């Protein structure tokens, strides 16, 4: 039998726990996500426990201890916020990393305030998730180590010497003359000195030259009790003969010093004799470096190392004050790369990042000493040009920038050209407010883009109007839902041979109080960018469901109703639930609900979209590919989705009389039939177009030839006529 000192128990326990495989609890209500994360973590030799929802997570947390919990927020039985609250209320120390598809900053803030140690947005890169887990495990391990060290410090006095020499802090004593009488072992790893070399030396041999005056009142402390020195930062010099890795500046360490005076206990209270000082110096070099890193990251772009918007604003504020004193103008430039999105989409973000780095380097070469170059985000840069003489100085620098960037850039075998549009404004001529100058330069830059790109445009007061109008439209849009200003129109989809109405497409319209009836072309882009499109899309689903229920109640024949789905709507984590809610609330036949999604949108997140649409298809809901033929997808990928309908884009129908277009449409109809799909031709406006479609046996048509989009009341009358045996006969059967 092996005996061990009982006081070693915590140390052995710590070592044992550090050697165990980390156990990770993964909480999500999506089986595919659970399976994917499980395989990813198992490959890193983590012990993985899966919980399908919040309730299973609480049971698992109650039964076992975990090193990390990966927690989804949106779960039907018990959401992630409630799981976080359970963990916090019961004092569970396991760190929680929230992995959520909610990309809003509010979701991240709520999760972190709820007790989460980190927040990862879906979709994520596997390497990023693993790095976050490793960082959390490391932080947890270090916390445990520090806690155990603190416990050791509270042990019996006989361990005092051991603890002093194994302390992570530099501990010393000085005599009354300021010479070292004791230094612990930490001095060797901290500064590279041997203990015996320092004992007997004056403390000043360790003090950075600039800190010696302060050290006279700090290092050799004479006060004791509550008046002694605590946590004072001071720099200690490293042994110049020792190689020290990763120092703050290669020559010194920053420590927090706590010191107290020592007095002869045998002397009387009125004749206390000072015998020296006792001090503890805690190495805070890494913390200071981390603080500097955080400060740097707060004011710099992490990709290019350039100042970010916050630091650019600070520089501009300082230069504006100096400009007023010197009575010299300055200029603010807003630069945006032309067609950068094409490079990102076609070659990937890695190539795009390399291009941004190359552009940043070239821009620096074009600027003067004292000019400020910043990256404000994406492919947008900003330049501050102080000490100018006139606009001609700005024009000269901008011509140089455009010329330098026009030269090819070679990245990983790709030859690329990075033209740039530049907007400029002058201070004080165009104003003297920081944010106004930046905004005016950006507006001038957008104007340069509209006038042909790769050019300079100075700010002019009249440029503000279109952007003010857009801002007003966005404000009106945000209030429109609450004011019930939206309405659905319906355009029939009819059988080409018989003229029978097979369905309707629900089309959104906005009754603007001042502008009148607006189509999506007037506001949908703003709705997408502002996020209003998500609640607006949910309103369309509910309204369409209510209309179908009304037709059913009136005894009208059941017809298919198609609803357009936006990108932001499809990416919403509640998308499937919102669609199903619209179907269930009105007790609809799911087969009569059809969702129209464009090819390009379908391909944006192949795996996630296939999963969502597969869940909806399982309930009978139909899927239509809108604007077919205008995207870049293939039937290989489209076959992964539960598609029921192909809608041929009206651009092909408009010129169907041209032989090449006729061949394309014929091929689309043939492929659709081959895949057993319903094919609908959009934008049919003439009898000649109809005849062509009848010749190639296209199933259905939609367009002004039969009917424009009509109101709910008119659509109801149209269905009622069909029920009584009448039809809107535009000659479809006999044309």
């Amino acid at each position: 039998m092996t005996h061990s000192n009982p006081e070693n128990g915590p140390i052995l326990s710590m070592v044992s726990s550090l050697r165990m495989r980390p156990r990770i609890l993964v909480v999500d209500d999506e089986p595919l996500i659970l399976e994917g994360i499980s395989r990813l973590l198992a490959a890193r030799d983590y012990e993985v426990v899966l919980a399908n929802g919040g309730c299973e997570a609480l049971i698992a947390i109650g039964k076992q201890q975990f090193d990390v919990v990966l927690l989804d927020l949106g779960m039907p039985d018990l959401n992630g916020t409630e799981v976080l609250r359970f963990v916090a209320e019961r004092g569970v120390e396991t760190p929680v990393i929230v992995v959520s598809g909610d990309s809003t900053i509010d979701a991240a803030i709520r999760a972190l305030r709820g007790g989460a140690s980190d927040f990862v947005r879906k979709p994520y890169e596997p390497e990023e998730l693993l790095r976050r887990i490793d960082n959390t495990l490391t932080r947890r391990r270090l916390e445990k180590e520090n806690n155990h060290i603190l416990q050791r410090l509270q042990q019996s006095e006989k361990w005092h010497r051991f603890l002093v020499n194994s302390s992570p802090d530099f501990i010393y004593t000085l005599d009354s003359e300021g010479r070292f009488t004791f230094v612990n072992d930490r001095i060797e790893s901290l500064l590279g000195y041997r203990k015996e070399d320092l004992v007997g030396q004056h403390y000043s041999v360790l003090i950075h030259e600039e800190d010696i005056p302060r050290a006279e009142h700090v290092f050799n402390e004479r006060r004791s009790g509550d008046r002694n020195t605590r946590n004072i930062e001071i720099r200690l010099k490293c042994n110049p003969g020792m190689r020290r890795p990763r120092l703050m500046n290669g020559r010194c360490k920053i420590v927090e010093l706590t010191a107290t005076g020592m007095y002869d206990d045998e002397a009387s209270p009125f004749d206390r004799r000072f015998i020296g000082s006792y001090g503890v110096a805690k190495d805070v070099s890494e913390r200071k470096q981390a603080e500097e890193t955080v400060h740097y990251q707060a004011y710099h772009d992490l990709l290019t190392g350039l100042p970010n918007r916050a630091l650019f604003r600070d520089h501009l504020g300082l230069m504006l004050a100096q400009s007023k004193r010197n009575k010299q103008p300055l200029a603010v430039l807003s630069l945006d790369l032309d067609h950068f999105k094409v490079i990102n989409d076609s070659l990937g973000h890695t190539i795009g990042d390399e291009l941004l780095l190359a552009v940043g380097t070239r821009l620096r070469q074009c600027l003067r000493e004292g000019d400020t170059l910043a990256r404000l985000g994406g492919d947008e840069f900003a330049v501050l040009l102080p000490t100018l003489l006139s606009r001609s100085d700005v024009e000269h620098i901008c011509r140089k920038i455009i010329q330098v960037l026009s030269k090819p850039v070679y990245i990983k075998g790709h030859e690329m050209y990075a033209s740039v549009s530049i907007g400029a404004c002058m201070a004080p001529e165009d104003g003297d407010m920081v944010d106004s100058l930046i905004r005016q330069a950006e507006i001038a830059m957008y104007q340069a883009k509209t006038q042909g790109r790769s050019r300079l445009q100075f700010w002019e007061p009249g440029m503000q109007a279109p952007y003010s109008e857009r801002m007003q439209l966005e404000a009106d849009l945000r209030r429109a839902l609450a004011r019930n200003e939206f309405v659905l129109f319906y355009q029939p989809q009819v059988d080409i041979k018989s003229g029978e109405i097979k369905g309707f497409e629900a089309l959104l319209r906005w009754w603007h109080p001042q502008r009148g009836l607006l189509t999506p072309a007037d506001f949908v882009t703003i709705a997408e960018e502002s996020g209003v499109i998500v609640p607006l899309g949910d309103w369309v689903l509910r309204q369409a469901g209510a209309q179908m229920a009304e037709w059913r109640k009136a005894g009208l024949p059941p017809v298919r109703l198609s609803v357009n789905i936006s990108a932001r709507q499809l990416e919403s984590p509640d998308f499937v639930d919102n669609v199903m809610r619209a179907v269930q609330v009105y007790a609809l036949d799911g087969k009569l609900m059809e969702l129209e999604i464009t090819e390009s949108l379908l391909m944006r997140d192949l795996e996630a979209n296939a999963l969502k649409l597969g869940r909806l298809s399982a309930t009978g809901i139909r899927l239509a590919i809108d604007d077919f033929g205008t995207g870049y997808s293939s039937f290989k990928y489209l076959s992964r989705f539960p598609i029921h309908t192909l809608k041929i884009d009206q651009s092909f129908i408009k010129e169907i009389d041209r032989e090449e277009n006729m061949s394309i449409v014929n091929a689309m109809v043939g492929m659709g039939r081959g895949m057993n799909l319903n094919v609908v031709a959009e934008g049919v406006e003439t009898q000649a177009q109809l005849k062509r479609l009848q010749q190639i046996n296209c199933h259905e048509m939609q367009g002004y030839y039969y009917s424009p989009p009509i109101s709910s009341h008119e659509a109801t009358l149209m269905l009622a006529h069909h029920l009584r045996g009448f039809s809107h006969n535009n000659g479809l059967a006999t044309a």
Side-chain angles (χ1 to χ4, degrees):
M1 179 178 293
T2 303
H3 295 277
S4 62
N5 190 326
E7 294 186 16
N8 286 335
I11 296 178
L12 295 175
S13 174
M14 179 182 72
V15 174
S16 173
S17 66
L18 292 175
R19 290 178 179 173
M20 292 173 59
R21 292 171 60 202
R23 181 183 296 153
I24 299 178
L25 174 64
V26 182
V27 186
D28 204 297
D29 62 324
E30 293 291 347
L32 291 179
I33 294 178
L34 288 174
E35 181 182 354
I37 296 180
S38 176
R39 288 200 302 266
L40 179 67
L41 298 181
R44 291 289 291 265
D45 200 31
Y46 291 133
E47 181 182 346
V48 182
V49 177
L50 303 179
N52 187 4
C55 293
E56 288 189 17
L58 299 188
I59 294 172
I61 292 172
K63 289 182 177 180
Q64 316 180 56
Q65 290 186 345
F66 297 93
D67 296 285
V68 174
V69 176
L70 300 183
L71 177 65
D72 184 27
L73 287 182
M75 296 178 290
D77 60 342
L78 192 67
N79 64 43
T81 303
E82 294 168 320
V83 174
L84 278 172
R85 188 181 302 116
F86 173 90
V87 170
E89 290 175 351
R90 284 156 181 78
V92 179
E93 296 181 355
T94 305
V96 178
I97 301 176
V98 170
V99 183
S100 174
D102 191 344
S103 62
T104 63
I105 188 65
D106 288 340
I109 292 174
R110 286 196 302 270
L112 295 175
R113 286 180 175 173
S117 62
D118 205 347
F119 187 96
V120 179
R121 293 180 175 88
K122 297 178 183 177
Y124 51 79
E125 293 294 333
E127 293 79 9
E128 172 66 9
L129 180 61
L130 290 173
R131 184 176 67 79
R132 297 287 187 93
I133 294 173
D134 289 343
N135 289 345
T136 301
L137 288 172
T138 300
R139 186 165 59 250
R140 178 171 169 79
R141 177 176 59 80
L142 292 175
E143 289 172 355
K144 286 184 176 180
E145 291 175 354
N146 287 335
N147 289 336
H148 281 291
I149 291 173
L150 290 174
Q151 292 173 9
R152 301 289 72 71
L153 289 171
Q154 298 170 358
Q155 287 184 348
S156 65
E157 185 177 351
K158 72 177 184 177
W159 288 99
H160 178 71
R161 176 69 62 175
F162 167 76
L163 291 174
V164 166
N165 281 323
S166 61
S167 170
D169 301 329
F170 166 38
I171 300 175
Y172 69 89
T173 59
L174 302 175
D175 62 17
S176 60
E177 301 297 326
R179 292 184 294 265
F180 287 109
T181 57
F182 169 80
V183 292
N184 69 341
D185 294 343
R186 177 70 170 114
I187 193 66
E188 297 187 19
S189 58
L190 180 65
L191 301 177
Y193 291 96
R194 295 188 304 170
K195 294 191 297 183
E196 52 268 28
D197 292 338
L198 287 181
V199 173
Q201 296 284 331
H202 193 267
Y203 69 83
S204 59
V205 299
L206 293 183
I207 309 301
H208 190 278
E209 291 79 3
E210 297 177 1
D211 291 351
I212 286 178
R214 186 155 55 115
E216 293 177 357
H217 304 286
V218 174
F219 214 86
N220 191 19
E221 176 64 84
R222 287 177 173 266
R223 294 170 297 180
S224 61
D226 294 337
R227 299 174 60 244
N228 68 324
T229 295
R230 296 177 183 272
N231 300 325
I232 303 300
E233 287 188 8
I234 200 164
R235 286 173 290 178
L236 302 183
K237 294 188 296 186
C238 294
N239 187 345
M242 300 290 288
R243 296 185 61 184
R244 304 293 303 155
R246 298 183 61 80
L247 300 176
M248 290 295 289
N249 59 11
R251 298 185 301 109
C252 66
K253 288 276 192 176
I254 299 179
V255 298
E256 277 186 352
L257 184 66
T258 297
T260 186
M262 298 187 300
Y263 290 85
D264 186 358
D265 292 334
E266 296 180 359
S268 68
F270 302 101
D271 188 26
R272 297 182 66 197
R273 184 171 62 89
F274 175 69
I275 61 175
S277 302
Y278 173 87
V280 178
K282 181 178 182 180
D283 179 18
V284 294
S285 300
E286 291 187 2
R287 192 194 76 192
K288 297 295 291 184
Q289 190 169 15
E291 290 174 356
E292 290 180 7
T293 300
V294 169
H295 183 270
Y296 179 87
Q297 292 176 347
Y299 289 98
H300 290 81
D301 170 55
L302 298 186
L303 174 64
T304 62
L306 295 172
N308 61 11
R309 184 181 291 271
L311 186 54
F312 185 79
R313 291 182 73 258
D314 288 348
H315 283 194
L316 179 54
L318 292 173
M319 290 299 103
L320 280 171
Q322 185 175 326
S323 173
K324 290 178 182 178
R325 289 194 301 269
N326 300 337
K327 299 188 183 304
Q328 279 190 312
L330 61 78
V332 177
L333 307 182
S334 176
L335 303 87
D336 193 85
L337 300 185
D338 298 327
H339 308 298
F340 179 72
K341 186 177 184 298
V342 176
I343 294 174
N344 258 350
D345 292 345
S346 58
L347 300 179
H349 289 275
T350 301
I351 298 294
D353 288 347
E354 293 287 342
L355 178 59
L356 291 173
L357 287 169
V359 168
T361 300
R362 291 190 178 185
L363 287 174
R364 286 192 192 96
Q365 297 170 357
C366 300
L367 302 178
R368 310 161 302 172
E369 185 177 356
D371 295 340
T372 299
L373 171 64
R375 182 186 177 213
L376 303 189
D379 59 339
E380 185 179 355
F381 295 83
V383 174
L384 171 59
L385 301 175
T387 63
L388 297 172
L389 296 177
S390 65
R391 284 197 176 199
S392 61
D393 292 342
V394 179
E395 293 170 346
H396 172 73
I397 293 173
C398 291
R399 280 196 302 269
K400 185 177 180 181
I401 289 174
I402 293 172
Q403 181 181 1
V404 168
L405 291 184
S406 66
K407 297 177 181 178
V409 180
Y410 299 94
I411 300 175
K412 296 182 179 180
H414 299 283
E415 180 181 358
M416 290 173 285
Y417 293 85
S419 65
V420 64
S421 298
I422 307 175
C425 66
M426 305 283 292
E429 178 182 340
D430 297 323
D432 57 2
M433 301 296 291
V434 170
D435 291 327
S436 295
L437 290 170
I438 295 174
R439 185 176 66 253
Q440 289 166 184
E442 289 175 342
I443 292 175
M445 178 269 292
Y446 291 128
Q447 188 72 15
K449 282 186 175 292
T450 62
Q451 294 182 358
R453 305 176 186 269
S454 189
R455 55 174 293 155
L456 166 66
Q457 174 65 55
F458 280 95
W459 158 261
E460 297 175 2
M463 294 178 181
Q464 182 72 32
Y467 296 93
S468 298
E469 182 179 349
R470 185 190 186 282
M471 291 172 63
Q472 182 61 51
L473 189 62
E474 180 177 338
D476 292 344
L477 185 61
R478 292 183 181 279
R479 293 188 290 263
L481 262 178
R483 294 177 177 178
N484 200 29
E485 293 174 0
F486 291 105
V487 65
L488 289 185
F489 275 48
Y490 302 88
Q491 188 170 36
Q493 298 168 338
V494 301
D495 185 283
I496 282 184
K497 291 186 176 179
S498 67
E500 179 186 359
I501 296 177
K502 294 293 187 179
F504 287 92
E505 179 180 358
L507 299 170
L508 183 64
R509 298 292 185 265
W510 178 12
W511 283 110
H512 192 282
Q514 285 80 40
R515 301 167 186 251
L517 187 65
L518 301 181
T519 67
D522 300 314
F523 62 85
V524 75
T525 300
I526 300 175
E528 283 273 7
E529 293 173 357
S530 63
V532 177
I533 195 69
V534 176
L536 184 54
D538 294 339
W539 178 86
V540 171
L541 284 169
R542 294 193 302 271
Q543 193 70 15
Q547 183 62 70
M548 294 173 70
E550 183 180 323
W551 286 340
R552 181 187 62 212
K553 185 177 179 180
L556 297 177
V559 290
R560 182 180 68 242
L561 189 57
S562 301
V563 177
N564 289 280
I565 301 299
S566 70
R568 295 282 289 270
Q569 199 177 355
L570 181 59
E571 292 167 356
S572 169
D574 300 327
F575 170 69
V576 174
D577 293 337
N578 290 338
V579 175
M580 292 306 304
R581 192 176 297 113
V583 172
Q584 293 165 359
V585 165
Y586 298 103
L588 303 178
D589 182 353
K591 294 179 181 179
L592 298 179
M593 174 75 79
E594 187 169 74
L595 307 179
E596 293 195 10
I597 303 176
T598 62
E599 289 182 81
S600 55
L601 171 56
L602 208 59
M603 298 297 114
R604 282 174 62 158
D605 190 346
L606 201 66
E607 298 299 331
N609 291 341
L611 183 63
K612 291 179 180 179
L613 296 174
R615 289 175 58 191
L616 291 174
S617 178
T619 66
I621 293 174
R622 298 166 58 90
L623 174 64
I625 303 301
D626 197 14
D627 301 336
F628 184 69
T630 61
Y632 302 97
S633 58
S634 66
F635 278 96
K636 172 185 175 183
Y637 291 110
L638 291 178
S639 63
R640 299 182 59 178
F641 296 94
I643 300 169
H644 302 85
T645 300
L646 295 181
K647 299 192 72 177
I648 301 176
D649 186 68
Q650 59 184 348
S651 60
F652 296 101
I653 306 303
K654 185 176 182 180
E655 299 183 359
I656 197 172
D657 55 326
R658 294 173 54 190
E659 199 60 39
E660 57 269 29
N661 266 27
M662 180 64 177
S663 299
I664 293 173
V665 174
N666 191 19
M668 291 180 183
V669 172
M671 286 188 291
R673 285 185 173 278
M675 296 177 68
N676 199 28
L677 302 177
N678 184 39
V679 182
V680 180
E682 295 184 289
V684 179
E685 298 181 353
T686 67
Q687 187 176 19
Q689 292 170 350
L690 173 62
K691 285 185 177 180
R692 290 274 192 167
L693 292 170
Q694 288 175 331
Q695 291 170 8
I696 59 177
N697 294 321
C698 183
H699 297 114
E700 297 177 17
M701 61 150 284
Q702 174 182 343
Y704 276 70
Y705 181 70
Y706 185 86
S707 171
I710 55 179
S711 67
S712 169
H713 175 69
E714 292 172 313
T716 301
L717 291 178
M718 182 179 286
L719 281 177
H721 280 300
H722 272 68
L723 181 62
R724 294 196 299 268
F726 298 102
S727 69
H728 284 245
N729 188 355
N730 286 320
L732 295 179
T734 59

